Amino acid sequence: MPIKVRKNRSEAPPPPCALTECMAIIEGAWAPNVIWQLRGGPRRFSELRMDIPPISAKVLSQRLRELEQRGVISRHVLATTPPTVEYRLTPLGSELLPALNAIVEVGHKLKLAGFHAVQRS
Amino acid sequence: MPIKVRKNRSEAPPPPCALTECMAIIEGAWAPNVIWQLRGGPRRFSELRMDIPPISAKVLSQRLRELEQRGVISRHVLATTPPTVEYRLTPLGSELLPALNAIVEVGHKLKLAGFHAVQRS
DNA sequence: CAGAATCCGTTACGATACTG
DNA sequence: CAGTATCGTAACGGATTCTG
């Protein structure tokens, strides 16, 4: 009979995979680093700048605001002179740590395998 | 005594974390999707185009070449008419799956938590 | 079918300078 | 200290057209 049978190929993994939700936060050169640096507890603006070597104040500020807006981190101004600002992960932000952890794990394996990041095209 | 004692803050997680190695591959709007779609077995160019809804041929082609160059996927031309090209994960590419898996997991949790991706600034 | 070529918009990021 | 403002670059991505 002329029924068009499914070919023997692997099927497309069913529906819209939930990659984007998390990637939207993780994406970019610095956002994951910021989250990662906050995993050990609160840190200040200038601390983050030194933790994440060559990040400019502008970009760090942008990412911090963005992450705060998304509810991933929270911002706390301490009444000192000069003013001090601490950032820390929110509970929602902490949910991202397993994913980052897995990414770091893979990174280690890649390094051991002699992998070196290549320029993109 | 005037010794500058370490303050009571959390320390910077020691050395250069291995985030970048993996992120370099994962990064971009489509690369993770491509890898993810290949997790079930080999797939063809046009299949990937349909799996990953609104990706343009140009970008898909770019990402595929890039991923191949990095040893994440392999390209196989089948001698059919019209020609058929299959892509599949290399062993190295499969190493990325745990990380992507973790990302998808988090994505699900975020969706359940009512999280919606927000525009970036 | 599987792409390459071209044009063009958006934006992440860097450098520098300035402020409360 | 913790940013903001401004300028400039490069890479990512979309749309369309063309080819072996």
Side-chain angles (χ1 to χ4, degrees):
Chain A
M1 14 104 122
I3 294 185
K4 193 79 169 158
V5 183
R6 257 207 85 23
K7 305 208 209 85
N8 192 12
R9 331 205 68 264
S10 56
E11 303 252 358
C17 58
L19 263 173
T20 28
E21 283 74 15
C22 183
M23 286 303 293
I25 302 177
I26 294 305
E27 214 150 14
W30 301 119
N33 264 288
V34 171
I35 300 173
W36 189 245
Q37 294 298 336
L38 289 177
R39 77 189 182 285
R43 285 189 87 63
R44 293 166 33 197
F45 188 87
S46 54
E47 287 178 322
L48 288 170
R49 279 206 70 178
M50 300 178 60
D51 294 343
I52 310 172
I55 192 175
S56 64
K58 187 192 85 174
V59 174
L60 177 55
S61 175
Q62 279 181 356
R63 288 297 86 83
L64 288 171
R65 265 185 289 133
E66 170 189 310
L67 291 171
E68 188 191 2
Q69 229 191 304
R70 297 182 176 186
V72 174
I73 64 175
S74 58
R75 183 175 180 272
H76 305 273
V77 182
L78 309 184
T80 58
T81 43
T84 305
V85 182
E86 273 190 0
Y87 295 91
R88 62 186 65 191
L89 290 180
T90 62
L92 186 141
S94 303
E95 308 243 17
L96 298 170
L97 291 179
L100 290 177
N101 224 318
I103 292 175
V104 171
E105 284 300 309
V106 174
H108 280 131
K109 294 181 77 171
L110 293 179
K111 288 176 98 167
L112 293 179
F115 176 84
H116 283 292
V118 188
Q119 288 301 333
R120 179 166 277 212
S121 111
Chain B
M1 19 107 114
I3 294 185
K4 195 78 169 156
V5 183
R6 258 205 86 22
K7 305 208 208 84
N8 192 13
R9 332 203 68 263
S10 56
E11 304 252 355
C17 58
L19 263 172
T20 29
E21 284 74 14
C22 183
M23 287 303 293
I25 302 177
I26 294 305
E27 214 147 16
W30 302 119
N33 265 287
V34 172
I35 300 172
W36 189 246
Q37 295 298 336
L38 290 176
R39 78 189 183 284
R43 284 189 87 64
R44 294 166 32 197
F45 189 86
S46 53
E47 286 178 322
L48 288 171
R49 279 206 70 177
M50 300 178 62
D51 293 344
I52 310 173
I55 192 175
S56 64
K58 187 194 85 173
V59 173
L60 177 56
S61 175
Q62 280 181 354
R63 288 295 87 83
L64 287 172
R65 267 184 287 132
E66 170 189 311
L67 290 171
E68 187 191 5
Q69 229 190 306
R70 296 183 176 184
V72 175
I73 66 176
S74 58
R75 183 175 182 272
H76 305 273
V77 182
L78 309 184
T80 59
T81 43
T84 306
V85 183
E86 272 189 0
Y87 295 91
R88 63 184 65 190
L89 289 181
T90 62
L92 187 140
S94 303
E95 307 243 17
L96 298 170
L97 291 179
L100 290 177
N101 225 318
I103 292 174
V104 171
E105 284 299 310
V106 174
H108 280 131
K109 295 182 75 172
L110 292 180
K111 286 177 100 166
L112 293 180
F115 176 84
H116 285 293
V118 188
Q119 289 300 333
R120 180 166 279 211
S121 113

